[in-house]
Amino acid sequence: MSRSARWIVFWLGAGGVGTLIVLAVLKLPFGGLVHPYRELSVPAAIGRSSPNIVSSVNFDQRALDTLGEETILLGSVVGAAALLRPSKNEREQLDRDEGRVLEATKLLGYLLLPVTLIVGADVVTHGHLTPGGGFQGGVVLATGVHLLYVAGSYRMLRRLRPTKWYQLAEAVAAGAFVVLGLVGLLLTGAFLANVLPLGVLGDLFSSGTVFFLNVAVGAAVTSGVVVLLAGFLAQALSVREVR
């Protein structure tokens, strides 16, 4: 396909998507008193013991959309990791001298490391109850892991952050989301239907599959971001061209 033909295909697609977005936005009830989506989603979320309405929408009422988003994330990580691999003319080589880290930076980093990990885990596991969820908590957890680099050294980060484990964890988490969906399909006839006990509103183990899907997304996002940052850090700090 020629360059001009690719541009024609792009502009046709972009024009079609843009037109659909404008038409959809024009029909949204901005500023009105009628909110049918809210009136349907809020009672459904409360009825399924999930006071965080956003998580109920993401992992129950529109869980299939979230599976698509997670698949996009997984594909993006795989693509970026493939592009960041050392080429035939490159090898990983760690420098002996990694520079000096200020004592104050070390202290702050080591103090924030456990705090950040605890906050990230809390945001993930309580995502069905309070603001947050797997996506947000996953980013916090992945960021917390890299405080080892800020406060310590790149060598230390590499020793305590085995990338292969995170690659495996991302695949397992994405697979767990699909398996839970298939269980719902087998038991109820609907993919990703809530099949677990809803529990008591406000309890940690409540809201049925919303809790487990939220945790699965948290694990996938954590692992994906760690793998991505590992690739970028390797390119910046250890990958060298071999002549």
Side-chain angles (χ1 to χ4, degrees):
M1 183 181 290
S2 65
R3 183 181 179 85
S4 58
R6 289 200 296 268
W7 276 111
I8 291 174
V9 171
F10 168 75
W11 285 115
L12 285 175
V17 172
T19 302
L20 291 175
I21 291 176
V22 171
L23 292 175
V25 170
L26 291 176
K27 288 184 175 296
L28 289 176
F30 285 118
L33 298 177
V34 179
H35 300 281
Y37 193 82
R38 178 197 63 190
E39 293 170 1
L40 291 172
S41 61
V42 173
I46 299 301
R48 295 171 188 173
S49 301
S50 179
N52 185 350
I53 310 301
V54 175
S55 288
S56 175
V57 171
N58 286 339
F59 301 111
D60 186 10
Q61 302 173 44
R62 291 195 307 110
L64 185 61
D65 292 356
T66 303
L67 176 59
E69 294 162 2
E70 188 178 357
T71 304
I72 292 172
L73 172 66
L74 178 62
S76 302
V77 171
V78 171
L83 291 173
L84 292 170
R85 286 183 305 175
S87 66
K88 293 181 180 178
N89 299 324
E90 293 177 332
R91 297 288 185 277
E92 285 205 62
Q93 181 178 351
L94 295 177
D95 293 332
R96 292 185 177 179
D97 183 12
E98 298 188 46
R100 176 174 172 269
V101 180
L102 294 174
E103 294 300 322
T105 303
K106 288 183 180 179
L107 176 62
L108 187 62
Y110 288 135
L111 288 176
L112 286 178
L113 175 60
V115 175
T116 307
L117 295 179
I118 291 172
V119 169
D122 181 80
V123 171
V124 171
T125 55
H126 290 83
H128 58 304
L129 302 176
T130 55
F135 287 101
Q136 300 89 335
V139 174
V140 174
L141 284 171
T143 305
V145 170
H146 287 82
L147 284 173
L148 283 170
Y149 169 61
V150 176
S153 67
Y154 185 51
R155 290 176 183 273
M156 181 187 299
L157 175 65
R158 286 173 62 96
R159 284 198 298 270
L160 301 178
R161 181 218 54 190
T163 308
K164 290 184 178 179
W165 289 13
Y166 286 95
Q167 293 171 343
L168 178 63
E170 185 181 15
V172 170
F177 202 110
V178 176
V179 169
L180 282 171
L182 291 174
V183 171
L185 180 63
L186 290 174
L187 296 181
T188 69
F191 186 66
L192 283 169
N194 200 332
V195 296
L196 297 176
L198 298 176
V200 179
L201 183 70
D203 284 356
L204 177 61
F205 296 105
S206 60
S207 73
T209 53
V210 172
F211 172 82
F212 293 98
L213 292 175
N214 193 36
V215 172
V217 167
V221 171
T222 302
S223 305
V225 174
V226 168
V227 171
L228 273 181
L229 292 177
F232 284 114
L233 283 174
Q235 281 291 332
L237 300 175
S238 62
V239 174
R240 302 286 184 268
E241 186 174 359
V242 178
R243 298 180 180 177

